[in-house]
Each structure stands twice: as C-alpha cells, then as structure tokens.
Amino acid sequence: MMYDLFIEPLQYQFMQRALIASVMVGVINGALGCFIILRRMAFIGDALSHAILPGVVIAFMVAGKGHFALFLGAVFAGIVTALLIGFVNRNSRIKEDSAIGVIFIGMFAFGVLLIGRLQAVHLDLQHFLFGDPLGVSPGDLYLTGIIGIVILGSITLFYKQLQLTSFDPIMATAIGMNTGMVHYFLMGILSMTIVASLQAVGIILVVAMLITPGATAYLLTERLPKMLILASLIGATAAIIGLYISYWMNYSSGAAMVIVVTLMFLITLIFAPKQGVLIKIIQRKRAQERHLNDDVLKATYQLSRDMQETNLSQIAEYLGITTHLLKNVLHKLLQKQLIMHTDDESILLTEDGKKHALKLIRSHRLWETYLTEQAGLGWEHVDEEAERLEHDLPDDIVDEIDERLGYPEHDPHGAPIPKKDGTIRETEDHPLASLHVGETGIITRVSDQIPEVLATLWNAGLIPNVQLTVTERDNGTMHVQVGEKKFTLDDKAASRVMVRKV
Amino acid sequence: MNIKPVIDIQNLTVSYHRKPAIRSVNLKLTERGIIGIIGPNGAGKSTLLKAILGLVPIDNGTVKVFGEPVFKVRNKISYVPQKEIIDWDFPVTVYDVVMMGRYAHLGVIERPGPSDRDIVEAAIDKVGMNEYKNQQIGNLSGGQQQRVFLARALAQESEILLLDEPFVGVDAATEHAIIDLMHSLNDEGKMVVVVNHDLGKVQEYFQYLIMINQRLIAYGPTREVFKPDLLSKTYGGRLTILQKTEQLFGVAQ
C-alpha cells in the first residue's frame, strides 16, 4: 500500500526529478521566506514573483531555452523592479505599497504581452503561471541546485547582516552595515528563488511557498535559527505531499502544494502550543474560572464574617450570578477542600479556604492603597482596578508593595489589610444603618463596591476616623451630624458605611 | 593644554523633507561625563544623536568623532534606540540581542567566537539579566527590555554611548540600574549622551547639559546652564512646561 502510493511512482525518472526539484524549492523558499516575513516584505515578494515574467520571456526570445539566460533575465527583471519601486517611493508622495502595486502589475502585463508574441514557439504560459514539475529537465534540476546552494550559503554566511538589518536597521547602519545593499541583495536572491520555483509551482502561487512555511514556523518558535529550519522542513513536506497529490489525482501541482501548506498553517494556527488560537481560548477560560473561584471564596469570607454564616442564595445575590453557576463553582471548591457545608446548607470556609480568601483580600487592599497613595488615583475608582489585578499577582510582588508602602494597617476605605502570615485584625464594626437615633460612632471603613456612592460620601467628608452622631431617622433616610455639619443619607449609602460604636 | 574634543560638530544643519530639524549647530564635547540633551518636542534631540551616528543625511556642516568622520570610528559608538521602534515579536532572545553588540567588531562573514561569548555573558550579568538570557525579548517587562539594549551597548565596548529616551516606560528599579550603569561607564572614562524629555531629574542625573531647540541654546555644566532664562529660551513660549520648570526651581533653591 505505502509502496504503491509513494515508491511506485518513483520508478519514473521524471517523477524522481520532480520530487527532488520540489523538495529543493520547498527548502529554499521556506528559509528565505523567514526573512521576507520578518522584514514585512510579503507583498514585495508577491510583486517580484510576477514582475520577473518579462525578464524571463525576453531572455527566452534572445537565447532560447537556455537555463542560464532565463536565470539572468529573471534576476535582472527582479532588480529593475526593486529599483523602480524604490525610485517611485523616494521621488514622489506615493507610499511603498502603492509603488509596488503600480510597478509589479505593469511589469507582469508587459510579460503577458510578450508571451503573446511568442505563441509560435511553444513556451506555454500555463507552465509559467502554474508550474509543471513533471516537466523538470536535468538542466532545470542543475539550475535549481545551484540556486539553492547560493541562497542557503548566503543565509549561512551573511546571517549576522540579515538578522540585524531585519531586527534593528538603525543599529545596523550605525555599525557600518549597508542596509540598502542587504535589501537589494535579498531582492536579487529572491528573484533567483522565484526562477528556481517556476517549474515546480509557477509564478502565481510561488509567494505562498515563500510566505506560508515561514509564517507557520513563526507560530511555533521564538528563535530565528529554529524558525529557518522549521520553515524549510514545512516547505519541503508540503512540496512532497503536494506533488504526490498532483500525481495521483491529476491536480495542478502548484495548487496542490499551496493547499497542503495552507492547511498546515491553519492547523498550526489553531493547535500551536503557545501561539495557537485554541490554547489562548483555553487559557482565557481557565483564567475566568479561577477569577470566579476567587470571587466566591472572597464573598463567602465577607458574608460569613458579617453574618457569622452564609448560604447559597446569599452568595449568589452578593456576586450577581445564578445559583446554578454558583453550585458548579462550589462543587469544585468543595473538591479542593476550600469550603465545607453543614447539614442546614450553611457554607463555611475551611482553614485553607480562609487562607486563600485572606490572600486575595490582602492583594486587593494593598493594591487599592498603592493606587491611591503612589499612583494618585481617586479613592472611588481603585476598587475596580484592584478587582482586576488581585487574581494574577505573584505573592512576592504583593509582599514588595506591602514593604514599599511601609506595611499599612488599613486600605483607603478603612478596611484592615491581612498580614503576610495570613492574620487579620478585624474590627468590631457595624453598618451605620444599624445605629439608633442618638447613638454615636466612628467611621471605620466604607464598603467599596459602588463608585458613585463612594464619591458622594468622600465629598461629604464621611471618611474613616470621622465621628458622627445619628440625629434623626425616617422612612428610608437617616440624618447624621458631623461636627457642626448635618447630612442626610439614604439607607443604601448608610449600609455602606461601617462604624464602631462609642 | 589643548584638549581634543571627543565629538566635534561644526555648523551642522539637518532637515527632514525640506523642513529643518537642526540649524547651524556648533558643539564640541570634550568632557567624558554624563551629558543630557533636553529640548521641546521637535527640537531635534533625536536628530542630533542620529547625526552623530551618521544615520541622517547632513545638509551642511561636519561631524567628527575622535577627529575622524563617523564612518571610520563606527565601532567606538554604541546606540540604545527608543523602545517604540523595536519589533518585540522578533524571534531573538536576550542573548541574541546582546550578541549583536559584538557584530561591530566582527568581519563580514566572521562568526562570534568564545571571547565574544564571554563579553556577552559579562554584559548580561552586569545589567542583572542573567536569569532571562534565553527568553524571547517580547516576554520581558519594559524595564527588562531596556536593560537588554543597555547590555548590547556594553557588549559593543564602545567609547561613546548614545541613549535615546532610556527612561520612558521603565520602572524605578531599572531607572536606578541605568543611572548606576551610566556612572560606572563614566568612571571607566566613557562619554554617555542621553536624550531626555523629563526635566524633573535633570539636575540629579546629568553633569552636563545640551539645551537645544533646533538651534543650540546652551551647553555646559548642568548647574551653570539649567537656569530659568535659558530654559525659557529653550522651551520658548510653552507655558505649561515653563511653569513646571519654575516650580522645579522653587523646590530646588
């Protein structure tokens, strides 16, 4: 079976040559393509592949089907195109991409025109455009081999120059590298590569063999040498598979190779271990789940602290989530032994759960303190920020913030900050709403969920350590006196202010 | 005794798209100290650095480094670019980037040898990035990224270091690390030239100041030239900045 599929076709010499040519084309394009991608020259690569057509055709007219002439014609046309693009770009307000668009399609049309004149001779436009690997002659193979050696040799010898001019052209120039020369040199070897690829994939599709293997490799590695090797392997693999598909199913070989390499790219895009779409979705989901677990632990801690114990519906209401979702979360927390529940459906934190909750609260409250004191953010905005940051901070950074702030006891809202060892000094405080007329309290903290309420309280001067007395209560509102001033609060605001009775 | 200037700029004019960026600047930098370049946006601060490096076409005038045209002494100058111009997704590690500093000393097809590798390791160590040397540069924090490029300049073993806005977007720890490094380089007799736009720490950081607004306004020891009249000449009419500097003086005096 394997023999029939892969080895049997190789008894034909034309197939052997086609296979060797395709592998070489895959390797050369893959390696060179890496630099084309990193220099953001994909478009210029496409342009060049089309623009060499008139050079090839003219060479054919002058010298017949001599390989060296074709090669010279292509490189010449490639350099002319690169120079023309540079000229238009420098001497007019036309930007580079438009200059490329104008020049390459003009050159290509000129080439098509010339081919029309050649129809007497059997130069098949079809083959130029879409490739014909089964027609590879020993001479073609020879030429491709030489071009391959030149290109892979240049990449090895001038790796430094190619790397630095691609990464940091300013430094490259500053240490005396000729970035302009590197650019035109690349254009030159790119033209050669395209000539080498004409037989295997044709002008129209060659850019895919140039860009796609490199782009695929770029999703898989963060090292340039690895990217070069990987791209070459991907290019060669796609070329081989494409060739067999074309042999057995009689498809255009260029199209088959490009379809294979494109599929390889798409599969990598989805499944790549670090850059892949799938792993990113999974990571995002995991982060969301972790944040929700954290929020539930914190809510359980807060609620059971204020009211001794708590239950499912209280937590769901507090967090604004459905009880169905909450049950799932609680189930996981139960498995991790972070919570317990009693027979009467009360929910309690285990020692581990409490530790975890306090760690989050510590991170949250230290952030709030840091953002108000050091970053100068408004008191009423820091809660939202801290809410986002608290989940993902490593412990050592939290400890460093603690140290830098001088180990503060309270956050800006007056809530106690848990210590590094997991202890917390909770204060004996009650909501202001629970005070009766005539009672006096000192504000210990302002519960920090709603920015508008916080801003109102802040503007009124109702901040931690201020002493107030309840003067009057009626339906839904409460009147308090602070020094000489009198304020009216609705019950919602009053329930946010925690006081210690005096 | 006649001290030979390290950098000698005469009657330099540079323009971008026919708009002048620097006009007729004459400047002799002799002191091997830490030199700040300050001036408003569009004053030609970065252009001045690029002219010293020979990166921009010069309309008029000359730039000489150690008495020679720049292209003859290229490996004696290193450059730390602004962070925005770097492609942080590029597949290079910390080690790779620092190794680029050695390229100035290598022949066209020469490869880095053991001594280059030692110098690179030492430079990475000096900026405290040893732990991260095999990390791709995009995975680093802003401050760490800046250190990598400093290490690259160190590995180049140049006599002159030019830094373009090195304090933008770095944390306090890195800012201190950069300053410490500048001092230690200065102690080794190297000239450090820094483009900076935050006036707040000018007096603390720089021994000498170049004040520029297309034309050279002043050059001299910081305590002599960092004065309200020269600042107002440099920042001419930009009230907010002026007020800020006056406040600064209020604090400083």
Side-chain angles (χ1 to χ4, degrees), chain A residues 215-492:
Chain A
T216 311
Y218 195 22
L219 294 174
L220 291 169
T221 177
E222 294 181 329
R223 309 275 190 284
L224 184 50
K226 269 194 202 162
M227 182 177 164
L228 287 164
I229 293 168
L230 217 53
S232 302
L233 288 177
I234 292 168
T237 312
I240 295 171
I241 299 176
L243 181 69
Y244 276 105
I245 291 177
S246 126
Y247 177 87
W248 285 113
M249 303 170 92
N250 207 19
Y251 287 132
S252 149
S253 64
M257 289 177 193
V258 172
I259 291 293
V260 171
V261 80
T262 308
L263 283 177
M264 288 168 89
F265 173 80
L266 289 176
I267 290 168
T268 311
L269 181 70
I270 295 169
F271 296 106
K274 267 176 96 176
Q275 302 288 330
V277 174
L278 202 63
I279 192 78
K280 283 186 179 158
I281 293 173
I282 292 172
Q283 279 167 352
R284 203 174 317 140
K285 258 206 105 115
R286 281 200 191 133
Q288 275 171 359
E289 262 174 37
R290 207 176 63 238
H291 292 184
L292 189 59
N293 287 356
D294 285 357
D295 289 342
V296 170
L297 280 177
K298 249 174 61 178
T300 313
Y301 178 84
Q302 304 275 26
L303 291 169
S304 54
R305 194 192 68 87
D306 290 343
M307 294 166 228
Q308 306 312 321
E309 59 176 46
T310 190
N311 58 39
L312 191 75
S313 57
Q314 274 177 352
I315 299 173
E317 196 189 341
Y318 183 86
L319 290 172
I321 59 175
T322 63
T323 47
H324 178 72
L325 178 60
L326 181 61
K327 270 183 190 160
N328 284 336
V329 177
L330 288 175
H331 186 69
K332 276 182 217 140
L333 294 175
L334 205 61
Q335 279 179 338
K336 288 186 193 161
Q337 299 189 319
L338 293 171
I339 58 162
M340 311 176 276
H341 63 86
T342 55
D343 300 338
D344 58 341
E345 296 296 306
S346 294
I347 294 162
L348 295 166
L349 290 174
T350 62
E351 266 312 300
D352 280 350
K354 195 177 162 194
K355 242 188 231 164
H356 195 93
L358 281 170
K359 213 155 111 183
L360 288 164
I361 291 168
R362 169 176 161 81
S363 171
H364 182 102
R365 290 181 181 167
L366 279 170
W367 258 114
E368 287 187 326
T369 316
Y370 183 81
L371 291 173
T372 31
E373 285 188 10
Q374 307 270 330
L377 259 69
W379 192 58
E380 66 274 20
H381 297 303
V382 291
D383 182 57
E384 294 167 49
E385 279 303 312
E387 194 64 48
R388 284 198 301 129
L389 293 165
E390 66 183 4
H391 304 285
D392 301 307
L393 273 184
D395 289 347
D396 52 334
I397 293 194
V398 174
D399 292 342
E400 202 182 311
I401 292 170
D402 196 10
E403 187 188 329
R404 195 151 325 163
L405 290 170
Y407 306 104
E409 294 279 333
H410 299 281
D411 77 358
H413 310 285
I417 298 174
K419 295 288 151 205
K420 192 179 172 180
D421 59 14
T423 56
I424 184 166
R425 238 186 51 212
E426 291 288 7
T427 42
E428 292 276 321
D429 49 14
H430 312 274
L432 173 60
S434 68
L435 259 62
H436 300 289
V437 174
E439 281 188 315
T440 297
I442 292 173
I443 300 179
T444 52
R445 66 196 166 97
V446 181
S447 186
D448 54 10
Q449 305 291 330
I450 304 163
E452 294 76 25
V453 176
L454 284 175
T456 316
L457 294 171
W458 176 258
N459 289 332
L462 295 176
I463 55 175
N465 293 324
V466 165
Q467 182 168 329
L468 48 72
T469 309
V470 179
T471 53
E472 221 183 311
R473 288 197 73 154
D474 45 43
N475 220 356
T477 56
M478 144 170 247
H479 303 267
V480 297
Q481 183 158 358
V482 180
E484 298 292 296
K485 289 192 221 157
K486 288 187 174 173
F487 298 103
T488 310
L489 289 90
D490 61 8
D491 278 349
K492 194 169 136 204

Side-chain angles (χ1 to χ4, degrees), chain A residues 38 40 155-161 163-164 166-171 173-177 218 221-225 227 274 404, chain B residues 53 55 74 79 81 85-87 89-93 97 100-101 103-104 106-111 134 136-137 139 149 152 156:
Chain A
L38 293 173
R40 298 172 198 201
I155 292 177
T156 318
L157 285 180
F158 304 117
Y159 178 79
K160 279 199 315 260
Q161 285 83 350
Q163 180 210 42
L164 186 56
S166 306
F167 175 62
D168 185 355
I170 293 183
M171 174 179 179
T173 315
I175 65 168
M177 284 182 185
Y218 195 22
T221 177
E222 294 181 329
R223 309 275 190 284
L224 184 50
M227 182 177 164
K274 267 176 96 176
R404 195 151 325 163
Chain B
L53 284 159
L55 293 176
R74 288 201 185 277
Y79 174 63
I85 66 165
I86 297 298
D87 172 10
D89 287 330
F90 202 92
V92 282
T93 61
V97 171
M100 290 172 191
Y103 290 0
L106 297 173
V108 176
I109 57 165
E110 194 182 348
R111 288 175 177 278
N134 293 319
Q136 194 269 339
I137 52 170
N139 300 331
F149 280 84
R152 185 175 79 172
Q156 202 174 330

Side-chain angles (χ1 to χ4, degrees), chain B residues 53-241:
Chain B
L53 284 159
L55 293 176
V56 286
I58 288 173
D59 291 355
N60 197 5
T62 56
V63 178
K64 288 197 170 166
V65 180
F66 297 111
E68 307 254 20
V70 190
F71 69 87
K72 285 195 176 168
V73 287
R74 288 201 185 277
N75 56 18
K76 292 190 180 162
I77 315 173
S78 55
Y79 174 63
V80 177
Q82 280 186 43
K83 277 186 61 199
E84 298 89 80
I85 66 165
I86 297 298
D87 172 10
W88 297 103
D89 287 330
F90 202 92
V92 282
T93 61
V94 170
Y95 186 91
D96 295 337
V97 171
V98 180
M99 183 56 90
M100 290 172 191
R102 298 306 301 158
Y103 290 0
H105 300 274
L106 297 173
V108 176
I109 57 165
E110 194 182 348
R111 288 175 177 278
S115 68
D116 296 309
R117 286 194 278 275
D118 290 346
I119 291 166
V120 168
E121 296 276 357
I124 293 174
D125 209 39
K126 198 159 183 181
V127 298
M129 288 292 291
N130 217 345
E131 201 181 325
Y132 303 96
K133 71 180 173 193
N134 293 319
Q135 287 279 325
Q136 194 269 339
I137 52 170
N139 300 331
L140 306 172
S141 72
Q144 291 169 335
Q145 291 173 339
Q146 196 70 52
R147 288 175 201 218
V148 174
F149 280 84
L150 268 171
R152 185 175 79 172
L154 287 180
Q156 202 174 330
E157 297 188 316
S158 55
E159 298 296 311
I160 304 168
L161 272 92
L162 307 178
L163 296 92
D164 202 348
E165 304 272 10
F167 303 122
V168 171
V170 307
D171 52 290
T174 301
E175 190 160 331
H176 282 127
I178 296 174
I179 292 295
D180 287 347
L181 209 63
M182 282 183 194
H183 282 291
S184 82
L185 288 167
N186 188 32
D187 292 342
E188 292 170 25
K190 301 195 170 171
M191 176 184 272
V192 181
V193 184
V194 184
V195 168
N196 194 37
H197 76 217
D198 177 16
L199 294 176
K201 300 205 165 144
V202 160
Q203 289 167 305
E204 190 185 326
Y205 288 170
F206 306 118
Q207 295 153 346
Y208 300 91
L209 268 191
I210 297 168
M211 297 163 86
I212 187 172
N213 190 349
Q214 297 198 344
R215 295 176 186 283
L216 181 71
I217 308 295
Y219 168 60
T222 305
R223 69 195 122 71
E224 284 171 29
V225 296
F226 198 65
K227 294 278 158 67
D229 53 329
L230 286 173
L231 279 165
S232 85
K233 233 172 131 187
T234 310
Y235 289 89
R238 286 162 202 253
L239 261 176
T240 47
I241 302 172

